[in-house]
Amino acid sequence: VATAVFERPPIIADRPLDYPVFAFGGQRDLLVKRDELAAWSAQTDGEFRMRVFNGGHFYWLSDPQPLLSAMSAELFLIAAGV
């Protein structure tokens, strides 16, 4: 399982990734728009899921638990093969 954090989708010249991509963002983020977050779906042939949390660009600073719980749940599902 590879985990990475990027603010912008990488440019993939050859082909999309062959593993799941999960995009997390803030509901009131003024730097990364919702369509930019959704654009990560084009970077994978695998599953894509997007979660938007309450807050701005640094939504996790005031309460990291929702993001950590979401990441933990996604990794659990991958490990379980679901």
Side-chain angles (χ1 to χ4, degrees):
V1 174
T3 304
V5 177
F6 298 98
E7 286 198 13
R8 301 278 186 239
I11 297 171
I12 299 176
D14 294 340
R15 61 183 175 83
L17 303 170
D18 61 355
Y19 51 83
V21 171
F22 306 105
F24 302 104
Q27 187 177 43
R28 294 182 307 279
D29 191 334
L30 300 177
L31 299 175
V32 180
K33 306 294 184 223
R34 189 125 357 143
D35 60 335
E36 292 174 308
L37 198 59
W40 278 93
S41 66
Q43 302 299 319
T44 184
D45 282 336
E47 183 176 1
F48 173 79
R49 284 201 292 265
M50 183 173 84
R51 291 275 312 263
V52 177
F53 297 94
N54 187 32
H57 189 68
F58 295 106
Y59 61 90
W60 68 89
L61 292 179
S62 62
D63 184 9
Q65 195 56 50
L67 174 62
L68 295 174
S69 294
M71 291 174 71
S72 178
E74 296 297 354
L75 292 173
F76 177 80
L77 292 174
I78 290 171
V82 177

